[in-house]
Amino acid sequence: MESMLNKLKSTVTKVTADVTSAVMGNPVTREFDVGKHIASGGNGLAWKIFNGFKKSTKQEVAVFVFDKKIIDKYQKYEKDQIIDSLKRGVQQLTRLRHPRLLTVQHPLEESRDCLAFCTEPIFASLANVLGSWDNLPSPIPPDIRDHKLYDVETKYGLLQVSEGLSFLHSSVKMIHANLTPENIILNKSGAWKIMGFDFCNPSLNPSEQEPKFVCKEWDPNLPPLCLPNPEYLAPEYILSVSCDPASDMYSLGVIIHAVFNKGKTIFEVNKHDIYKSFSRQLDQLSRLNPNVLANIPEEVQEHLKLLLNVTPAVRPDADQMTKIPFFDDVGAMTLQYFDSLFQRDNLQKSQFFKGLPKVLPKLPKRVVVQRILPSLTSEFVNPDMVPFVLPNVLLIAEECTKEEYVMLILPDLGPVFRQQEPVQVCFLILLIFLQKMDLLLTKTPPDDIKNSVLPMVYRALEAPSIQIQELCLNIIPTFANLIDYPSMKNSLIPRIKNACLQTSSLAVRVNSLVCLGKILEYLDKWYVLDELLPFLQQIPSREPAVLMGILGIYKCTFTHKKLGVTKEQLAGKVLPHLIPLSIDNNLNLNQFNSFMSVIKEMLNKLEAEHKTKLEQLHIMQEQQKSLDVTNQLQLSSEQANKMSSQPDKVFSDMGQDFLTGLPDKQENGRVPKPQAKVSLTLEEKQKLAREQEQVQKMKSQPPLNPNPVTPAPAVKQTKDLTKTLMENMSSLNSLSGGSSKSRFPPATNMPSNIGFQAPIDNMSANRNVQNGLNSNSGFHSAGFNMGLGNQNQNFFSGTGSVGINKMTPMATPANVPNFNALSSPPGMLPQSQQNKPTADLSPLDQLFGPQKPKVSMNQMSQQMQSPWINQFTSPQGSQTVSSPVTQTGMMGQTGFGTQSNPFFNSQSFAQPANTMKSSTSASNDLKDLFG
């Protein structure tokens, strides 16, 4: 990409430099802007041709520039000869005016560096088209490199050259003397025009009937630019130093040969020995080889032989050549007629334009666009010719691309779209445009359609002529799909409705309804329901054709997949309108049957849709009833569950508050209003501060994890009373093994602060024990916690204590079973055993463990009634920690809670004082328990 950009930049820079160096300082640049280098022409292709524009009018021109640098190699007198020859040719061309001669727009201007003059816009020289690319820009322009001449272009071009020679020979009495492809220019429209009058030879006696011409002898010492091209010169120039108009006809014959042979001439001339070459050429012309004419069309071969004849008198003159059958081609004659169109009257023009559509398809597109289209559009200024010219222009537009149409045709059609006078001509113009409306809407840009094309259609609908309205209504459906929806909805449909309501012509009214029925598919459903269907009720006439048109619109709307009519519209508007129309007396039997068929279809649809709706509503109502019953049942069950779980939730919330210390409780998802703030005394505040400090200390300490104690090796003891006692205990256990009841009093009568301290052994980690019931049942962890010993441990052995540390050993009745044989932990004593007498077991304590001091009941009662238990014994009994006992509620469950909370472990137990019945009842319970 970068290399391409650099190449393009260098090319532009080079072209700009060439133009600047060639034209800089020349007076031509004062009035004309010089563009890019496009071609070359003139003798030796010495003239560079640039495109340009006139500064004042922006008119397109061609600028011919001769750069004096190319003759720097010559001597001064030779330079002067070359400059004089070039000036002479341009000056002679400027004086001559003819359609077959190149038109000069600005005369020759000379500066120190160049010669320049301006002409009509051109495409290239014939030599460039035939493959001579000398003095052309690099790279060669693609339009020149790829240009191919069509047969019609070749025929008509040669005819134009013949007409130009006829003008020179007959009217001007002049010989061109250097007629070559280099001096034949193809203008922008493709017309062939003559230039290069550097060696022209005017008659010495132009007033006389027999002109006389003086021919100069060939001087090989002159520069090539001062001599004509010898390959196109007649033999008499060199051999006999004579010339006449027939000499130009010989040059025309060589040009004909070159055109059909890709620029190759009949003979090649040795410029260094030109006399010998022409002598040999003369012999060959006398016996012309048939191979020379192999590529020449047969209808012109005989005339070409005559043109190349060595005898000038045998050669046909220019006027005779214009009349040969070779030029009687339809395309060539058509182009010739266009060139002389300005000489024809309206009648002749109209006849010619009527037959032109038959000829246009036979002509190449380039010829039609370049040569015929400009002549046709120029006739738009003549209103009487517009109806004859417009069909041909639209026919050409069909073959053009959208870009060509917008650039070449649409600008000239703008005034025709707005033309309204004369009325008869306007009618014909509307007729032509309406017939080609699909072409206009396809290739015309949207803005031009909105501003030019559619207003013309609207004028046709509003025209006073019934014929124009009918034509417009019949044609609109053919291009309705090309009209944008806003224009159709806001502009076209309202005018069709007005035409239907306001006209007095039955044909216009019926065609309006038919037109609306055909364009329904391009409309929106709600626009049809809200605008078109109510409009049908406004139509006053009751002719059968009108009624059938109304029925047709209803039916199309009803049956169309995209449109359709709602059941509300059917019941409220459509059927009430159709049913009265169906019994109109003007309808025949078939028309009545059509009405009834449509009405029945509508009624069936109305019945089906409404019945379906009612069935769906009934199903929904039944479902709603079943849902209501289900919701009521669920609500009642939820209320029952809520009432049953409310006590548990209350105690659970109390336990959570006891653990977390939160003063506010949430019940049933509602937060109670905060209580009024009560002022505290100084002592209460100090007590509260100490409690907070105590809580912080407890939080900062790590949880107490018991360390396993390695049991001391068993000491072999002598068989004594202990063994005998154990056997007796086993026998007692076997007697009461069928009973799984606990020997402790029930929970309701037990002291509130009793804790069982479990000794630590190798099975102390197993804390989740079964209580004979469900494993999940038991006291909440924040409620009644009772330390559990190992199941295999003797209840009366070890260092554990019942109640508070250092309590006096309790006495156990003789019939108490051995707890080692129980599979469940010690539980609560049944109510029936509360009043049984207890035995003194102090001798057993002396046998199995050290003697412990007794604690009085008063001391025990004081400790149980205290809100604080400050002593927590470590497994070894050496470490004590203090902790506040927070207030908890007891869950409505039986058994023991889990040991998940390390703060309340198996070595401690606390019960809030406010859950006790009284200190006296607690003392009585202890008495019942310990005796």
Side-chain angles (χ1 to χ4, degrees):
M1 177 62 73
E2 186 176 357
S3 61
M4 293 178 64
L5 293 176
N6 293 334
K7 185 176 181 181
L8 178 62
K9 181 179 179 181
S10 62
T11 303
V12 173
T13 305
K14 182 179 179 181
V15 170
T16 306
D18 293 342
V19 174
T20 304
S21 61
V23 192
M24 183 65 67
N26 194 288
V28 171
T29 57
R30 299 173 187 170
E31 299 183 22
F32 296 91
D33 291 326
V34 181
K36 65 178 182 178
H37 186 191
I38 58 174
S40 61
N43 191 25
L45 298 176
W47 291 90
K48 291 182 179 180
I49 305 174
F50 299 84
N51 60 5
F53 295 89
K54 192 171 185 178
K55 293 181 179 180
S56 58
T57 61
K58 301 300 179 182
Q59 180 185 3
E60 188 178 3
V61 297
V63 181
F64 284 71
V65 177
F66 176 77
D67 191 355
K68 293 182 179 181
K69 291 180 179 180
I70 64 176
I71 59 174
D72 287 344
K73 59 183 179 179
Y74 297 106
Q75 299 295 328
K76 186 177 183 304
Y77 73 95
E78 292 176 333
K79 292 180 183 179
D80 294 339
Q81 288 178 331
I82 294 173
I83 296 300
D84 291 341
S85 175
L86 296 174
K87 285 182 179 181
R88 181 172 177 267
V90 176
Q91 291 169 356
Q92 188 64 48
L93 178 63
T94 304
R95 287 193 294 266
L96 298 174
R97 294 286 179 176
H98 190 268
R100 303 299 176 242
L101 305 181
L102 188 64
T103 302
V104 177
Q105 301 286 358
H106 188 84
L108 181 69
E109 298 283 359
E110 183 179 7
S111 65
R112 183 184 64 181
D113 298 324
C114 67
L115 301 175
F117 68 99
C118 297
T119 66
E120 60 183 300
I122 73 163
F123 169 67
S125 63
L126 181 60
N128 294 151
V129 174
L130 294 177
S132 297
W133 297 338
D134 296 342
N135 216 9
L136 280 177
S138 180
I140 306 300
D143 50 352
I144 293 179
R145 183 182 66 244
D146 302 333
H147 190 85
K148 303 297 180 184
L149 292 172
Y150 295 106
D151 289 341
V152 64
E153 291 180 299
T154 301
K155 290 180 180 180
Y156 187 58
L158 294 174
L159 178 60
Q160 288 175 308
V161 174
S162 300
E163 291 175 349
L165 291 176
S166 176
F167 166 73
L168 292 178
H169 297 165
S170 302
S171 302
V172 185
K173 308 292 184 181
M174 178 187 291
I175 299 173
H176 189 279
N178 192 27
L179 189 64
T180 64
E182 301 167 351
N183 289 321
I184 297 176
I185 301 296
L186 278 65
N187 70 358
K188 203 78 172 179
S189 300
W192 294 18
K193 301 206 171 185
I194 300 173
M195 67 163 289
F197 290 88
D198 302 359
F199 310 103
C200 64
N201 191 354
S203 174
L204 296 178
N205 50 350
S207 59
E208 297 181 6
Q209 188 174 1
E210 291 294 333
K212 294 181 180 180
F213 301 95
V214 177
C215 183
K216 294 181 180 180
E217 186 177 359
W218 183 268
D219 187 358
N221 296 323
L222 292 176
L225 293 178
C226 295
L227 294 172
N229 190 340
E231 294 180 349
Y232 291 88
L233 282 179
E236 59 268 20
Y237 268 106
I238 305 299
L239 300 179
S240 62
V241 194
S242 62
C243 62
D244 59 8
S247 301
D248 286 342
M249 301 310 297
Y250 177 88
S251 300
L252 178 61
V254 180
I255 290 175
I256 293 174
H257 180 275
V259 168
F260 289 103
N261 288 273
K262 299 180 180 179
K264 184 178 180 181
T265 59
I266 299 176
F267 306 105
E268 293 184 1
V269 177
N270 186 1
K271 298 180 181 180
H272 300 287
D273 193 359
I274 194 169
Y275 294 102
K276 185 177 180 181
S277 297
F278 267 87
S279 297
R280 189 185 310 110
Q281 178 180 334
L282 189 62
D283 295 338
Q284 293 176 357
L285 288 174
S286 301
R287 299 181 300 272
L288 193 61
N289 190 345
N291 295 332
V292 175
L293 306 177
N295 296 327
I296 308 298
E298 293 181 1
E299 57 265 34
V300 77
Q301 286 184 4
E302 294 299 325
H303 299 92
L304 181 58
K305 291 179 182 179
L306 293 176
L307 291 174
L308 297 178
N309 198 287
V310 294
T311 304
V314 179
R315 301 168 191 162
D317 59 25
D319 188 58
Q320 292 172 342
M321 281 297 298
T322 59
K323 299 176 182 179
I324 63 175
F326 178 69
F327 298 127
D328 290 341
D329 182 77
V330 176
M333 293 178 65
T334 302
L335 296 178
Q336 186 180 23
Y337 195 92
F338 270 108
D339 288 340
S340 61
L341 196 62
F342 62 94
Q343 302 174 1
R344 316 289 179 174
D345 57 19
N346 286 346
L347 180 60
Q348 292 174 326
K349 290 180 181 179
S350 62
Q351 294 296 328
F352 173 72
F353 290 141
K354 285 181 181 179
L356 186 59
K358 299 178 181 179
V359 180
L360 289 177
K362 300 178 182 179
L363 298 176
K365 178 182 175 181
R366 185 177 69 206
V367 176
V368 172
V369 173
Q370 290 183 350
R371 300 298 308 279
I372 297 179
L373 182 61
S375 301
L376 290 175
T377 55
S378 64
E379 291 294 326
F380 283 153
V381 297
N382 186 357
D384 295 333
M385 288 292 101
V386 173
F388 302 98
V389 174
L390 187 58
N392 296 292
V393 173
L394 296 179
L395 184 61
I396 297 173
E398 291 179 353
E399 302 299 327
C400 293
T401 63
K402 188 174 182 179
E403 292 75 15
E404 293 173 341
Y405 168 81
V406 172
M407 182 174 62
L408 301 175
I409 299 177
L410 184 60
D412 296 313
L413 290 179
V416 183
F417 286 138
R418 296 184 291 270
Q419 186 171 343
Q420 300 184 21
E421 293 181 357
V423 178
Q424 189 65 23
V425 173
C426 182
F427 169 74
L428 295 175
I429 293 173
L430 286 175
L431 174 62
I432 295 170
F433 275 134
L434 290 174
Q435 292 174 343
K436 296 290 184 179
M437 190 58 63
D438 55 342
L439 168 68
L440 297 177
L441 296 177
T442 302
K443 295 189 175 182
T444 305
D447 293 340
D448 294 301
I449 290 176
K450 186 176 181 180
N451 298 328
S452 300
V453 179
L454 291 181
M456 180 189 63
V457 178
Y458 304 154
R459 289 198 306 271
L461 289 173
E462 297 170 349
S465 173
I466 295 176
Q467 190 175 4
I468 293 179
Q469 287 183 333
E470 288 185 41
L471 176 64
C472 185
L473 291 171
N474 290 331
I475 294 177
I476 284 175
T478 61
F479 60 82
N481 60 321
L482 302 175
I483 302 177
D484 62 296
Y485 184 71
S487 298
M488 180 179 292
K489 182 178 71 173
N490 300 324
S491 300
L492 184 62
I493 300 296
R495 285 177 169 83
I496 296 177
K497 292 163 60 177
N498 290 335
C500 181
L501 295 175
Q502 298 175 3
T503 185
S504 59
S505 171
L506 178 61
V508 173
R509 184 165 293 161
V510 173
N511 286 327
S512 299
L513 294 174
V514 173
C515 179
L516 289 175
K518 290 181 178 179
I519 64 177
L520 280 177
E521 57 181 326
Y522 307 113
L523 300 178
D524 182 72
K525 174 181 179 179
W526 302 112
Y527 179 80
V528 174
L529 296 179
D530 296 340
E531 298 294 335
L532 284 188
L533 298 188
F535 153 75
L536 298 178
Q537 302 178 12
Q538 303 173 9
I539 300 175
S541 61
R542 288 295 180 266
E543 289 82 2
V546 176
L547 296 181
M548 295 306 294
I550 294 173
L551 178 65
I553 293 178
Y554 276 128
K555 184 175 182 180
C556 291
T557 306
F558 175 71
T559 58
H560 198 278
K561 294 181 180 180
K562 187 183 77 172
L563 301 177
V565 184
T566 62
K567 61 184 181 64
E568 291 79 8
Q569 291 276 349
L570 287 176
K573 297 182 179 179
V574 177
L575 289 174
H577 184 221
L578 277 181
I579 293 175
L581 295 181
S582 64
I583 59 174
D584 193 277
N585 295 329
N586 295 324
L587 297 177
N588 58 28
L589 180 59
N590 292 332
Q591 293 169 345
F592 173 75
N593 290 335
S594 299
F595 265 88
M596 295 310 298
S597 176
V598 175
I599 291 173
K600 289 179 181 179
E601 290 180 7
M602 292 181 177
L603 287 173
N604 291 335
K605 180 182 179 181
L606 178 63
E607 178 185 2
E609 288 187 359
H610 197 63
K611 185 176 180 180
T612 303
K613 178 182 177 181
L614 293 178
E615 290 175 351
Q616 293 176 352
L617 289 176
H618 178 71
I619 294 173
M620 292 174 63
Q621 291 173 357
E622 294 297 329
Q623 292 177 351
Q624 186 65 32
K625 290 180 180 179
S626 63
L627 289 176
D628 292 342
V629 172
T630 305
N631 291 336
Q632 291 178 359
L633 293 176
Q634 291 179 353
L635 182 60
S636 60
S637 62
E638 289 177 358
Q639 290 178 352
N641 293 334
K642 182 177 179 182
M643 294 177 63
S644 62
S645 63
Q646 187 171 7
D648 296 343
K649 183 174 181 62
V650 170
F651 286 109
S652 175
D653 293 340
M654 291 174 62
Q656 293 294 330
D657 293 340
F658 179 78
L659 290 177
T660 57
L662 293 176
D664 296 333
K665 294 181 290 183
Q666 296 181 356
E667 295 183 1
N668 297 329
R670 294 188 301 272
V671 180
K673 295 182 180 180
Q675 298 179 355
K677 186 175 181 181
V678 181
S679 60
L680 301 176
T681 63
L682 179 60
E683 291 78 5
E684 292 175 342
K685 292 181 181 180
Q686 290 175 350
K687 182 179 180 181
L688 184 61
R690 287 194 299 271
E691 292 176 355
Q692 291 179 352
E693 291 177 0
Q694 192 73 10
V695 171
Q696 291 298 327
K697 289 181 181 180
M698 295 301 298
K699 287 184 178 179
S700 61
Q701 290 181 355
L704 297 179
N705 295 323
N707 295 325
V709 178
T710 303
V715 180
K716 186 176 181 182
Q717 297 179 359
T718 60
K719 187 174 182 181
D720 54 7
L721 292 176
T722 303
K723 182 176 180 181
T724 304
L725 181 61
M726 293 297 294
E727 290 176 355
N728 294 333
M729 293 295 292
S730 298
S731 61
L732 290 174
N733 186 28
S734 61
L735 292 175
S736 60
S739 176
S740 61
K741 295 181 180 180
S742 175
R743 299 303 179 184
F744 292 96
T748 56
N749 297 325
M750 288 181 67
S752 60
N753 57 350
I754 293 177
F756 289 91
Q757 185 175 3
I760 297 173
D761 55 11
N762 56 351
M763 296 297 292
S764 63
N766 186 6
R767 300 302 181 186
N768 295 326
V769 294
Q770 300 292 333
N771 59 359
L773 301 174
N774 192 333
S775 61
N776 293 328
S777 62
F779 291 105
H780 194 271
S781 61
F784 184 85
N785 284 344
M786 180 175 287
L788 298 181
N790 195 322
Q791 294 179 2
N792 298 324
Q793 177 184 351
N794 192 318
F795 181 76
F796 300 98
S797 64
T799 59
S801 62
V802 178
I804 300 176
N805 288 342
K806 300 182 180 181
M807 181 184 292
T808 304
M810 65 179 181
T812 304
N815 59 351
V816 174
N818 186 1
F819 285 94
N820 288 333
L822 293 177
S823 60
S824 59
M828 307 298 294
L829 288 176
Q831 183 71 25
S832 61
Q833 297 181 6
Q834 291 182 6
N835 299 324
K836 288 185 178 182
T838 58
D840 187 7
L841 299 180
S842 55
L844 294 180
D845 288 338
Q846 295 175 0
L847 291 176
F848 296 108
Q851 189 71 23
K852 296 180 182 179
K854 295 183 180 180
V855 181
S856 66
M857 287 298 172
N858 293 332
Q859 294 176 349
M860 184 181 298
S861 176
Q862 291 176 1
Q863 293 183 5
M864 287 189 293
Q865 292 175 1
S866 175
W868 300 94
I869 296 178
N870 299 325
Q871 297 293 330
F872 289 89
T873 306
S874 61
Q876 289 79 11
S878 60
Q879 182 183 357
T880 59
V881 292
S882 61
S883 172
V885 179
T886 57
Q887 185 177 3
T888 61
M890 181 178 294
M891 299 297 294
Q893 300 173 349
T894 60
F896 296 96
T898 61
Q899 300 298 325
S900 60
N901 192 342
F903 183 79
F904 296 94
N905 52 25
S906 61
Q907 301 174 11
S908 63
F909 171 78
Q911 182 70 14
N914 57 359
T915 59
M916 297 174 59
K917 295 181 180 180
S918 66
S919 60
T920 306
S921 61
S923 300
N924 293 333
D925 291 339
L926 288 175
K927 289 179 180 180
D928 293 338
L929 179 62
F930 298 109

